[in-house]
Amino acid sequence: MYKQQFGYAPSCNACHKDGGGTALNPYGEAFKKAGKDLAAFKAIEKQDADGDGFANADEAIAKANPGVKTSTPKAPGDWLDALSLIPKEVQARFPGVKTWLPKDALLSDADVARAATLGATLSKADDNTIYIPLTDQRPSGTALIFAAEYQGKPFYLLLTTDRALTVASVEPMNTRQVPEAAKSKVYAMFAGVPVDKLPAATGNDLDAVITAAVKKAGTLLFVRLKNA
């Protein structure tokens, strides 16, 4: 929709603080509150979400980031550079990779139905961005940043896989609001498991919340990429 509105594809950081799947920045929050549709751009175009003195639409048209105060029409920064589109945490998991394919994971009704057969409940609210590293112009794995919530507080995890969609790692990325999530021992159990075979959660403690979030994230990867 951003490309349709402004004529170019943005970085996920137009709306997110640390790439697709992470917490929303001020522009992302404003866009969400306005309805997350094409009409929302018009509704918030005169606002200054990031407080840098420039209206949202003026920044977007000038290819500045409307959600980051340090990006302005006169000094937009490198937020649209190729590697700037890939979160640094994701790049670190695939050292040496210089070419990436960020792929929008927009869920269709068929995807949601297919996920249900795998034991995961997905909805359009789980739309995300899949980061695909390319080696010799071929996919060499995937990465997905995704949210979980424990006792009403969000935290964010990073899932990486090999090219066959077998989990390489699941690790905490941003757990400021749920610091105990950084200390969980449950992450190790996911390594080596195909994303369509991830275990379902039992219970409602923190480890169960993490397990459920990983199950959803892995299923999203599978329904969007397997046989695609």
Side-chain angles (χ1 to χ4, degrees), residues 147-155 178 206 209-210 213:
E149 185 175 294
Y150 182 62
Q151 297 181 344
K153 297 179 180 179
F155 60 101
V178 187
L206 178 57
V209 167
I210 293 170

Side-chain angles (χ1 to χ4, degrees), residues 12 19-21 85 102-105 126-131 143-145 220:
C12 296
L85 302 180
K103 183 179 181 66
D104 291 334
D126 295 307
D127 290 349
N128 207 322
T129 300
I130 301 169
Y131 301 104
L144 185 74
I145 299 169
L220 182 147

Side-chain angles (χ1 to χ4, degrees), residues 128-228:
N128 207 322
T129 300
I130 301 169
Y131 301 104
I132 302 175
L134 302 178
T135 303
D136 296 328
Q137 299 184 330
R138 298 186 63 187
S140 54
T142 70
L144 185 74
I145 299 169
F146 57 101
E149 185 175 294
Y150 182 62
Q151 297 181 344
K153 297 179 180 179
F155 60 101
Y156 298 87
L157 305 175
L158 171 61
L159 166 67
T160 60
T161 77
D162 63 15
R163 63 181 301 172
L165 298 185
T166 296
V167 175
S169 67
V170 177
E171 55 197 298
M173 180 174 164
N174 180 343
T175 61
R176 287 191 294 268
Q177 296 193 58
V178 187
E180 57 268 40
K183 304 174 184 177
S184 174
K185 304 297 185 184
V186 75
Y187 301 113
M189 69 178 280
F190 306 119
V193 180
V195 293
D196 59 323
K197 305 295 184 183
L198 286 163
T202 57
N204 55 11
D205 60 5
L206 178 57
D207 283 355
V209 167
I210 293 170
T211 300
V214 172
K215 175 74 171 179
K216 289 180 65 173
T219 302
L220 182 147
L221 284 174
F222 187 81
V223 300
R224 293 303 301 133
L225 296 180
K226 195 65 174 179
N227 298 325

Side-chain angles (χ1 to χ4, degrees), residues 16 28 56 78 83 103 108 164 173 193:
H16 296 269
N56 294 334
D78 63 358
L83 283 181
K103 183 179 181 66
S108 66
M173 180 174 164
V193 180

